[in-house]
Amino acid sequence: MRLMIDSAQTRSTETADNPGGTVKPTFREALRFWGKLGLISFGGPAGQIAIMHTELVERKRWISENRFLHALNFCMLLPGPEAQQLAIYVGWLLHRTRGGIAAGVLFVLPSALLIWILSYIYVIYGHIFWVEAIFTGLKPVILAVVAAAVIRIGKKALKNRIMWVIATLAFVAIFFFKAPFPAIVIGAGLTGWLGSRLYPDLFVTLIGHDEVLTSGASQVDFAPSPKPTPARTLKVFAICAILWATPIFIAGQVLGWQHTVTKEGIFFSKAATVTFGGAYAVLPYVAQQAVDFQWLAPHQMLDGLALAETTPGPLIMVLQFVGFIGGWQHPGDLSPLLSATLGALITSWVTFVPCFLWIFLGAPYVEQLHGHAGLTGALSTITAAVVGVILNLAVWLGIHVLFPTDLPSNWFGIVICTIAFIAMVRWKIDVHWIVIVGCIIGVLHYFVMTL
């Protein structure tokens, strides 16, 4: 048995370097990858999606371009962190429920532990100088990651003038007119659905299963998707809902329904169901409400965002920082550290458990519609719009990181960004090495400048 496992691992490892390989990864291999991803997934949703695309589609070839974009566009329509939901979806495709759970948990676990440690250091010592130092080298590297993603995904998605127009309109709408992200996605999806009926040759541009196989890109032979029956839907909903609500009920019974920890569980449960558009869409809403509740001050919210930016995992992990600070400053009868830890735990729990619910409920339905002309048309235009949205993020980061207002141009950042971009695009260096080196360079730069 051991020999068979080792042999399977060897064949799957060869797949990463063999464009023609089609061997499904073992669950152990997938665990190693999701664990590594949780440690290197810097850069917010755009950077994390770019890293997953590079690793899963181009290097390991565990999932085809078509299936990756199909999953991505579904996740874009959901509330909550789309990058984590994408990881859950791919894990579910590879190894069903246990794969989805492993991918989702390992994607956020390293970040959750780091944010807890940094939050404790923050409340004890205040400003953390080395976070700023790391951020100095990390920001231009992440800008390069996002720019490379725009080029890589754009080449795959923008296959005709219509898709170029949609990407351009999405960029203009979000960059110049500050259009909400969900409105852009919904508008693009409706345009693609209608266009697929009127001009299918122009709007149904995502490649199909046969084209993937004949174009030389490998595709794992996924297990048949479970049939989305009402009984299954009810079972999944009941299990996830119980897991979601149980910590809140326990906190209410033990600590009281007016305790900060309980209130945080209730508030962030609401936020998990209404915050479409990712972390940047939820932050203004959460910041305003958290300050109104006196859980933390505005400057503390900004400090928490900086901590989340410099750790791997979803940027929405800043909510755990909010939960920690709120518990620390309003401990009730508990010690500040215990109250803060419980606040951080319940905040992360009610933020991320719904992600599993959305994927496990919706993925079978989405897979049933895979290849449907109307859905494919909608997903094609959503993908094009996402290119414009990612370009907006790249431009926004570029302006703020490299050419900050009322400050000289950041020539250090320009050089680092250029080198990192060339390293990824031309030399094909793995993203995690570029991120690590960027962090080290940031720390070295900080110490040199303070000598």
Side-chain angles (χ1 to χ4, degrees), residues 197-322:
R197 297 176 178 273
L198 301 177
Y199 305 101
D201 292 342
L202 295 177
F203 283 88
V204 184
T205 62
L206 289 182
I207 58 179
H209 178 78
D210 293 338
E211 185 178 344
V212 172
L213 295 180
T214 57
S215 64
S218 70
Q219 174 165 312
V220 167
D221 186 15
F222 299 119
S225 175
K227 187 177 180 180
T229 62
R232 181 193 179 277
T233 299
L234 182 61
K235 178 181 177 182
V236 171
F237 180 82
I239 293 173
C240 291
I242 291 172
L243 290 173
W244 185 354
T246 297
I248 302 174
F249 178 78
I250 294 174
Q253 293 296 311
V254 176
L255 302 177
W257 293 99
Q258 298 304 312
H259 195 281
T260 300
V261 171
T262 308
K263 288 184 174 180
E264 287 175 339
I266 295 172
F267 171 73
F268 287 111
S269 289
K270 296 177 181 177
T273 62
V274 301
T275 48
F276 294 86
Y280 290 108
V282 66
L283 288 180
Y285 168 69
V286 168
Q288 179 182 355
Q289 295 296 316
V291 171
D292 289 344
F293 294 150
Q294 298 183 344
W295 290 344
L296 77 175
H299 74 275
Q300 291 176 315
M301 186 72 192
L302 294 176
D303 292 340
L305 180 59
L307 292 178
E309 289 274 15
T310 54
T311 56
L315 182 58
I316 207 169
M317 285 303 303
V318 67
L319 302 188
Q320 179 180 302
F321 175 84
V322 175

Side-chain angles (χ1 to χ4, degrees), residues 67 272 389:
R67 299 297 283 271
V389 171

Side-chain angles (χ1 to χ4, degrees), residues 9 59 134 178 218 227 241-242 361 367 376 428:
Q9 290 176 339
R59 294 193 67 251
I134 290 175
K178 311 303 180 186
S218 70
K227 187 177 180 180
I242 291 172
L361 270 184
E367 289 298 305
T376 303
K428 309 298 182 184

